[in-house]
Amino acid sequence: MEAGSEPLPLDILITNVVCVFRVRCHLDLRHIALKGANVMYKRDEGKVVMKLRRPRVTATIWSSGKIISTGATSEDEAKIGARKCARCLQKLGFQVRFGAFRVVNVLAVCSMPFEIRLPDFTKQQRPLASYEPELHPAVNFKIKPLTASMQIFSTGSITITGLQNSCSPPSLIFPHPKPRSLLPR
Amino acid sequence: MTVTPARGPHPVTKIYCPSHPDAVLVEDYRAGDMICPECGLVVGDRMIDVGSEWRTFSNDHVGKDPSRVGDAQNPLLNGGDLSTVIGKGTGAASFDEFGNSKYQNRRAMTSQDRAMLTAFREINTMADRINLPRNIVDRTNNLFKQVYEQRCLKGRSNDAIASACLYIACRQEGVPRTFKEICAVSRISKKEIGRCFKLILKALETSVDLITTGDFMSRFCSNLGLPKAVQIAATHIARRAVDLDLVPGRSPISVAAAAIYMASQASADKRTQKEIGDIAGVADVTIRQSYRLLYFKAAELFPPDFKFDTPVDKLPQL
């Protein structure tokens, strides 16, 4: 994580890992809602939301057996959480078979030690960066090699979304620290 | 004096003065001549005037428009078809017993054209509400046509696309309007216009320049009735504030509003935050926030030749 001339130690914290998996059987949402623990039944949308405590994940369960799990802080945790959720469903009596586990989205947060001048930054990174102060106070920057995007705030905080897995962040995300305008204070 | 056929570097005109081949010929419509401006030679005569035959006035809708060439079409915008239609009958034979014409051809134009025409009418109405000039309206129409033909945004409401096109056109012409101003004349929400705006930029693969505080100064100040000196001062304050980076991350509109507040409070024409907020579409707490950031360096922000009615240290501190 070089920053041009001097290397700066940057911490990229993964805040959220979203994954999908299947339990390979139809689920009776009403049964889960009545008998399950820590669940919320959203009948209008046809889903059940199950919140696990450890790891702290929220699983959205559909009657088709497809489940989306969010809130984990690492891929392994996401997998553990998914398996726990499947185990809960198994205990409720369904013939569950864990399958098709796939990490869909990884969100990470990073903070630069300096502030960033957004208008100048956007002018330099024209096609990749888009800044609309009226709509959102951050610059939307598309990271070219990955199909991920960053939201860069003027305080130096950066939110990275759209990553495929958590291994890519450091190497590919920061090829461009130089164009950033450092603010002398 | 003979008319020589064109050759080489004269793709447009077919005739030219033999002694001044590069001169652009002037048309004398009274005599029907084309005259060379350099030497006065009459190069072409009996030129046919392609202007209209009669004058028609817009309040003269007395049945017949004597023009024999029809309306000025918008061929660039409307699919430009040169198709003809069967005219209404005139003799007795073309009417049946009840007086209805036998051949009823009210063939409507294609649904695409109709949608575009509705959109153009809507754009016209919106632009009219905020008194936008013709060039912006034309640009908006062109943008809409491009977007519509691309069909990327097909699912979106046409009004939303039209509003977003209007916003983009204003930006491209260098006179940006805020999203809130466009919202005020459109029935679409700011969120939807913002979404369509981003989608259109992606679809047309263009980008627009960033908005600056100076773009809005003249409009806001004249709406508030502030004199020119205050406007100049406010522009200067806002520009200095951005240069010194006193207001990182603040929208240029909020900074402009705060600058106007500071300038007006220092002059004889004071305006309240609420008034400025109404005109600019900014909440008065937002003006207060930005003003606080400007207040620290107030003395440096004013232009050097500004006449203070209220000195800098007496400016309100919020």
Side-chain angles (χ1 to χ4, degrees):
Chain A
M1 291 166 279
E2 305 292 296
S5 40
E6 348 78 53
L8 291 172
L10 287 171
D11 287 322
I12 304 186
L13 291 164
I14 299 181
T15 50
N16 196 4
V17 174
V18 181
C19 61
V20 298
F21 63 97
R22 297 191 196 174
V23 291
R24 308 287 229 75
C25 71
H26 277 279
L27 302 169
D28 181 7
L29 294 185
R30 201 168 155 269
H31 181 81
I32 301 176
L34 292 171
K35 295 285 178 356
N38 303 318
V39 292
M40 288 190 291
Y41 186 27
K42 295 199 169 176
R43 193 159 156 261
D44 311 330
E45 291 146 48
K47 59 189 185 194
V48 163
V49 175
M50 178 189 287
K51 293 203 188 203
L52 292 134
R53 285 213 180 100
R54 205 191 49 181
R56 199 168 282 279
V57 291
T58 305
T60 308
I61 305 163
W62 270 273
S63 59
S64 60
K66 292 194 181 155
I67 305 182
I68 296 185
S69 129
T70 61
T73 46
S74 78
E75 282 180 355
D76 301 325
E77 242 189 54
K79 188 135 190 203
I80 296 173
R83 292 199 97 97
K84 271 207 172 153
C85 175
R87 180 84 180 124
C88 289
L89 293 173
Q90 196 178 45
K91 284 198 172 156
L92 287 170
F94 298 102
Q95 297 296 322
V96 156
R97 281 193 300 160
F98 189 83
F101 177 82
R102 192 169 63 96
V103 168
V104 165
N105 193 5
V106 178
L107 286 95
V109 155
C110 179
S111 185
M112 296 278 138
F114 45 80
E115 296 187 7
I116 299 170
R117 291 216 191 108
L118 299 181
D120 299 330
F121 179 71
T122 342
K123 277 187 200 133
Q124 286 175 356
Q125 302 278 333
R126 230 341 154 44
L128 296 172
S130 104
Y131 177 45
E132 277 305 314
E134 286 184 84
L135 296 177
H136 192 57
V139 173
N140 268 317
F141 183 84
K142 292 204 213 332
I143 307 169
K144 238 337 162 75
L146 322 164
T147 53
S149 75
M150 293 206 293
Q151 290 200 350
I152 306 168
F153 290 87
S154 62
T155 52
S157 316
I158 299 177
T159 310
I160 309 163
T161 56
L163 297 166
Q164 262 30 78
N165 49 49
S166 38
C167 310
S168 40
S171 45
L172 294 170
I173 292 191
F174 294 108
H176 51 257
K178 281 182 219 141
R180 296 240 178 99
S181 324
L182 285 138
L183 183 72
R185 280 249 171 199
Chain B
M1 234 266 295
T2 47
V3 174
T4 39
R7 41 165 199 275
H10 294 280
V12 180
T13 49
K14 292 222 179 65
I15 52 177
Y16 57 96
C17 171
S19 34
H20 304 102
D22 291 323
V24 176
L25 299 176
V26 169
E27 189 178 309
D28 178 7
Y29 59 91
R30 282 197 216 143
D33 297 335
M34 299 278 276
I35 305 173
C36 168
E38 312 271 329
C39 59
L41 187 69
V42 174
V43 182
D45 54 354
R46 286 192 280 274
M47 307 304 297
I48 297 176
D49 180 15
V50 297
S52 61
E53 223 174 341
W54 336 83
R55 297 178 297 169
T56 42
F57 299 98
S58 56
N59 49 2
D60 254 10
H61 280 306
V62 194
K64 301 185 281 194
D65 176 17
S67 162
R68 294 189 284 182
V69 296
D71 280 338
Q73 291 297 325
N74 235 332
L76 302 169
L77 300 182
N78 275 23
D81 52 71
L82 297 167
S83 53
T84 59
V85 292
I86 301 175
K88 288 197 290 202
T90 45
S94 60
F95 293 95
D96 62 11
E97 45 207 30
F98 296 112
N100 305 322
S101 46
K102 276 190 189 165
Y103 182 71
Q104 277 155 348
N105 182 22
R106 277 273 127 209
R107 179 97 291 159
M109 54 193 95
T110 60
S111 69
Q112 275 206 334
D113 273 353
R114 207 174 323 138
M116 279 224 274
L117 272 189
T118 320
F120 293 156
R121 217 171 297 137
E122 186 64 34
I123 289 172
N124 228 340
T125 319
M126 286 198 290
D128 194 46
R129 287 190 191 126
I130 36 177
N131 298 320
L132 289 175
R134 191 73 223 166
N135 60 337
I136 294 186
V137 177
D138 287 338
R139 193 181 270 265
T140 313
N141 286 346
N142 274 316
L143 282 169
F144 186 87
K145 180 182 189 214
Q146 283 176 30
V147 166
Y148 193 74
E149 284 179 346
Q150 268 211 10
R151 305 171 106 239
C152 298
L153 280 86
K154 195 158 180 244
R156 303 267 168 190
S157 145
N158 272 343
D159 283 342
I161 301 180
S163 308
C165 285
L166 190 63
Y167 178 81
I168 296 176
C170 292
R171 272 261 257 220
Q172 286 181 339
E173 289 284 330
V175 283
R177 298 293 189 270
T178 61
F179 275 109
K180 292 194 175 162
E181 287 175 311
I182 303 283
C183 266
V185 298
S186 161
R187 64 177 180 89
I188 311 287
S189 68
K190 179 174 176 242
K191 200 156 112 169
E192 185 59 27
I193 300 182
R195 269 194 221 131
C196 286
F197 165 73
K198 285 190 213 153
L199 288 171
I200 293 175
L201 286 187
K202 204 163 107 171
L204 299 180
E205 281 168 23
T206 39
S207 66
V208 286
D209 289 333
L210 293 175
I211 51 178
T212 57
T213 50
D215 296 332
F216 306 98
M217 279 302 172
S218 69
R219 210 162 352 112
F220 292 166
C221 288
S222 47
N223 283 344
L224 288 162
L226 292 169
K228 191 82 179 157
V230 177
Q231 180 185 324
I232 295 175
T235 316
H236 189 267
I237 292 173
R239 202 182 45 235
R240 290 284 294 152
V242 172
D243 288 339
L244 296 172
D245 206 32
L246 299 173
V247 283
R250 299 268 162 202
S251 163
I253 321 251
S254 321
V255 176
I260 293 177
Y261 180 69
M262 186 181 269
S264 76
Q265 289 292 325
S267 74
D269 289 277
K270 297 190 178 10
R271 296 283 179 274
T272 60
Q273 289 184 339
K274 190 166 183 321
E275 286 172 341
I276 301 178
D278 274 339
I279 298 283
V282 181
D284 57 323
V285 281
T286 315
I287 302 183
R288 214 173 299 155
Q289 297 276 20
S290 302
Y291 178 76
R292 282 196 199 122
L293 295 168
L294 299 180
Y295 183 74
F296 288 123
K297 305 255 182 131
E300 293 175 30
L301 298 176
F302 277 95
D305 52 352
F306 182 71
K307 289 190 182 42
F308 284 91
D309 191 78
T310 314
V312 182
D313 40 346
K314 296 269 192 338
L315 281 175
Q317 189 178 15
L318 302 158

